[in-house]
């Protein structure tokens, strides 16, 4: 059978298919042209910028951190460059295998691996992290010869912080450490400009001046525009903007004096703050024991951290700023000022001191070395009469004592330019109501007022507060916020900005009242409890010894240091000013658990005043006696001129100040978090405590008031 074809229908079908295909092709070309117009015209600027961004990488350049120098130009904190072996985890296939292979070329300790893993937890996978720092030339050569085997591993030059004088002034300087996750989270609240300035920055100030003046020390981050290939490899540098180094801090501290005081303390615990009462500049700011801030720069190893953190001596506690102590009898001159200002007691009124005071059926005693007899205000200060000030406290009452002594700076922050200062406790009835929970605890009992008169009870202050109060009293009421930094120097323009202490409104003290109390304190140094220590001094100074109780004792129990553990014995305190006319220095010192104020703290104060006012540096024999608590009289041996004694790490002949070789490599765990800042100040909700970690303060008993 013959099939008949419809030619006409097939031609129409072919034409339809041809037209449909042509329309599809035209539509496709139309879409391509439209897309081309969008890409080349409408979005030209946007896509051009993105393409340029893919071609150009902007790399931050971390600035050099500013140096810290003392008042004489001695470098206390500086920087040096060293090479580090770094791994970018995102570019490495088998990380553990890579580290194992690297360990065959370069010494990588278990602590290095722990530090690296901890940093990985706090960082992003594309960030370059150091597995070993401070490579030697030999280690660098070995790696470079095998570099092709390790994609994602490279050697970089990094700046490292250095503290040339080691543990000297460590609490004052603080340290820097790697930025931890908590700090990164806090940075998210910073303004955009400040966040941009920290791109590429891995370290930040953790404690001390490094933390308080972080904004000055950090500098301005620079950047570098680098053309990259498709693989991400840098081809050439297109443009760069150099970073601006951080500013330099010039301190009021005399580091040689600081070092001397730390030597005088030896292995004992304590604190000393010396202030120029004319302007509030801090001349020495000592907390003992100290620690080496170089340990923290590259991440402190676990063993060193545990030793510092678990030590009974609490070397991480800044005792000058955060350690609170009962002031003991150093409180008595201020009690006298309060009595004179309120008219509660005439200075010529004589009180019979029978070495005991009875109130509410309880007897409050005096040291066995005290002498009974009639005493007016001047003699009560010179002989440190407990009975005189017991009765005065009862006459004044706790709230009047609080209101009169708070303006001297007790119980509130001094405003020193360091973060972390505590307020201490100057008790009042309102303070007790706020502090305690149970109704019977909220009530103030009259018997609690008695011990306040001799600086015991709930009284708790820092050495910074005591030194500031001494500066205020010795200057006749002129007040300053204490300052550690004198000038901030711009390292580019070399312009210096003076950081002056803020002068506070002066206290309206009567000159005759101030003169009476200061003259009585001069009597303490010339004929009273510290007269043996200051015998033969080439200047006239005033002072007051104090002995602060560290443990509670039962009623009528006699104090015996021999029966107590070393950490439970009384603290030795001394406050001083000199010279008598136009004082140039006011200080407060404490030696924990060292006994009488005249036995341990006063000898240290004498050497500080000799240094500042007589240009005398004690002999090595004398330093040894002070360290052992055996300097009961004036300095022994032949003193040296201050300028003739070199600092540690310096030779006597013109060694460049502050220069020292970089510290030994310390591959260790990640930098300690900010919580490594020692805390532990006495809680305000309990009876006053001598300092962090010490036992409660005991009530006034014989032997605890000198």
């Amino acid at each position: 059978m013959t099939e008949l074809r419809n030619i006409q229908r097939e031609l129409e079908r072919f034409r339809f298919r041809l037209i449909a295909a042509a329309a599809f092709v035209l539509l496709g070309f139309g879409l391509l042209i439209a897309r081309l117009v969008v890409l080349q015209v409408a979005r030209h600027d946007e896509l051009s910028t993105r393409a340029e961004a893919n071609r150009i990488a902007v790399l931050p350049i971390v600035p050099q951190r500013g140096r810290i120098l003392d008042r004489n130009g001695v470098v206390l904190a500086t920087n040096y460059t060293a090479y580090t072996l770094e791994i970018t985890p995102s570019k490495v296939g088998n990380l553990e295998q890579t580290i194992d292979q690297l360990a065959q070329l370069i010494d990588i300790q278990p602590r290095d691996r722990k530090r690296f893993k901890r940093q990985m937890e706090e960082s992003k996978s594309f960030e370059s992290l150091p597995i070993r720092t401070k490579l030697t030339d030999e280690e660098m050569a070995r790696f470079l010869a095998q570099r092709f085997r390790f994609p994602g591993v490279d050697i970089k030059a990094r700046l490292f912080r250095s503290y040339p004088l080691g543990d000297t002034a460590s609490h004052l300087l603080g340290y820097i450490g790697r930025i931890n996750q908590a700090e990164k989270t806090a940075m998210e609240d910073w303004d955009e400009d400040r966040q941009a300035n920290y791109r590429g920055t891995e370290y930040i100030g953790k404690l001390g001046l490094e933390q308080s003046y972080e904004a000055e020390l950090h500098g301005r981050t620079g950047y570098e525009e680098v053309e990259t290939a498709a693989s991400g490899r840098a081809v050439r540098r297109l443009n760069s903007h150099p970073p601006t180094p951080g500013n330099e801090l010039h301190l009021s501290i005399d580091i040689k004096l600081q070092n001397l005081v730390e030597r005088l303390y030896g292995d004992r615990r304590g604190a000393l703050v010396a202030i120029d009462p004319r302007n509030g500049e801090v001349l020495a700011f000592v907390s003992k024991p100290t620690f080496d801030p170089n340990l923290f720069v590259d991440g402190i190893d676990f063993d060193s951290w545990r030793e510092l953190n678990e030590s009974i001596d609490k070397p991480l506690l800044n005792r000058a700023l955060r350690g609170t102590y009962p002031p003991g009898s150093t409180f008595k001159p201020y009690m006298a000022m309060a009595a004179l200002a309120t008219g509660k007691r005439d200075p010529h009124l004589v009180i019979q001191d029978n070495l005991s005071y009875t109130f509410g059926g309880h007897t409050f005693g005096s040291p066995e070395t005290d002498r009974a007899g009639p005493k007016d205000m001047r003699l009560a200060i010179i002989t440190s009469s407990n009975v005189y000030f017991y009765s005065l406290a009862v006459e004044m009452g706790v709230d009047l004592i609080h209101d009169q002594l708070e303006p001297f700076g007790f119980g509130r922050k001094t405003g020193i330019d360091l973060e972390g200062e505590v307020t201490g406790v100057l008790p009042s009835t309102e303070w007790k109501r706020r502090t305690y929970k149970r109704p019977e605890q909220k009530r103030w009992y009259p018997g609690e007022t008695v011990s306040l008169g001799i600086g015991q009870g709930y009284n708790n202050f820092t050495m910074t507060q005591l030194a500031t109060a001494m500066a205020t009293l010795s200057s006749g009421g002129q007040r300053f916020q204490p300052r550690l930094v004198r000038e901030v120097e711009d390292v580019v323009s070399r312009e210096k900005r003076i950081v002056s202490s803020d002068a506070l409104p002066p206290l309206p003290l009567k000159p005759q009242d101030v003169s009476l109390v200061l003259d009585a304190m001069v009597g303490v140094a010339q004929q009273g409890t510290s007269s043996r220590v200051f015998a033969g001094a080439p200047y006239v100074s005033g002072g007051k010894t104090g002995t602060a109780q560290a443990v509670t004792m039962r009623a009528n129990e006699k104090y015996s240091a021999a029966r107590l553990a070393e950490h439970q014995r009384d603290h030795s305190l001394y406050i001083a000013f000199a010279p008598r006319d136009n004082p140039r220095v006011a200080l407060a010192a404490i030696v924990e658990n060292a006994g009488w104020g005249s036995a341990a703290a006063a000898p240290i104060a004498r050497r500080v005043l000799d240094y500042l006012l007589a240009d005398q540096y004690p002999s090595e024999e004398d330093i040894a006696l002070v360290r052992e608590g055996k300097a009961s009289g004036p300095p022994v041996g032949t003193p040296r001129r201050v300028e003739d004694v070199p600092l540690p790490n310096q030779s006597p002949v013109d060694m460049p100040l502050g220069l020292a070789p970089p510290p030994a490599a310390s591959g260790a765990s990640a930098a300690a978090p900010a919580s490594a800042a020692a805390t532990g100040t006495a809680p305000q909700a309990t009876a006053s405590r001598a300092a962090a970690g010490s036992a409660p303060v005991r009530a006034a008993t014989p032997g605890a008031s000198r």
Side-chain angles (χ1 to χ4, degrees), residues 451-602:
S451 294
L452 298 182
I454 64 167
Q456 293 288 169
Y458 293 105
N459 285 322
N460 259 293
F461 312 119
T462 67
M463 289 304 105
T464 303
Q465 290 172 324
L466 277 174
T468 302
M470 186 71 265
T472 299
L473 179 57
S474 65
S475 63
Q478 181 60 62
R479 298 185 297 168
F480 291 94
Q481 286 188 335
R483 279 291 178 270
L484 292 159
V485 177
R486 300 178 77 187
E487 298 174 332
V488 177
E489 181 177 358
D490 188 309
V491 297
V492 177
S493 65
R494 287 301 170 187
E495 293 182 358
K496 293 183 178 180
R497 183 177 78 253
I498 297 177
V499 184
S500 58
S501 298
D502 295 333
L504 303 174
L507 299 185
L509 305 180
K510 297 178 181 178
Q512 62 270 27
D513 295 345
V514 173
S515 180
L516 187 149
V517 173
L518 294 185
D519 284 342
M521 295 181 71
V522 171
V524 171
Q526 292 186 341
Q527 63 192 82
T529 51
S530 64
S531 58
R532 290 185 60 190
V533 173
F534 282 87
Y539 48 82
V540 177
S541 71
K544 184 69 191 77
T545 55
T547 306
Q549 300 165 344
V551 295
T552 302
M553 298 189 71
R554 294 184 296 273
N556 301 321
E557 182 181 3
K558 290 186 177 181
Y559 172 79
S560 174
R563 293 201 304 266
L564 294 173
E566 194 267 342
H567 278 74
Q568 296 178 321
R569 297 171 187 168
D570 289 343
H571 303 314
S572 172
L573 294 98
Y574 195 74
I575 59 174
F577 68 93
R580 170 61 179 90
D581 299 323
N582 301 315
R584 292 157 46 194
V585 59
L587 64 82
I590 184 169
V591 183
E592 292 184 13
N593 313 116
W596 300 112
S598 59

Side-chain angles (χ1 to χ4, degrees), residues 689-702:
R689 296 181 181 274
S694 67
V697 181
R698 65 175 187 269
T701 54

Side-chain angles (χ1 to χ4, degrees), residues 372-431:
K375 298 174 182 177
D376 61 7
M377 182 176 289
R378 181 178 185 277
L379 188 58
I381 294 175
I382 292 175
T383 61
S384 198
S385 168
N386 278 7
V387 171
Y388 186 96
F389 289 98
Y390 285 146
S391 61
L392 177 59
V394 172
E395 292 176 22
M396 295 185 64
V398 60
D399 287 329
L400 186 58
I401 294 174
H402 174 274
D403 294 343
Q404 288 295 311
L405 270 63
E406 186 185 39
F408 283 97
F410 294 113
R412 65 186 186 189
K413 296 180 180 180
T414 65
I416 191 172
D417 48 343
L418 284 179
E419 295 185 20
E421 183 181 13
V422 298
T423 60
V425 176
L426 179 63
S428 65
T429 53
E430 174 60 26
W431 166 83

Side-chain angles (χ1 to χ4, degrees), residues 645-665:
V645 180
L647 277 168
N649 298 336
Q650 286 182 271
S651 65
V653 289
D654 299 332
M655 178 177 178
L657 295 179
L659 296 182

Side-chain angles (χ1 to χ4, degrees), residues 571-626:
H571 303 314
S572 172
L573 294 98
Y574 195 74
I575 59 174
F577 68 93
R580 170 61 179 90
D581 299 323
N582 301 315
R584 292 157 46 194
V585 59
L587 64 82
I590 184 169
V591 183
E592 292 184 13
N593 313 116
W596 300 112
S598 59
I604 295 177
R606 164 71 192 268
R607 276 71 180 172
V608 172
L609 298 183
D610 285 353
Y611 180 103
L612 292 170
L613 303 178
D615 191 35
Q616 292 181 359
Y617 197 101
S619 66
E620 293 300 319
E621 176 188 2
D622 187 64
I623 292 175
L625 289 175
V626 175

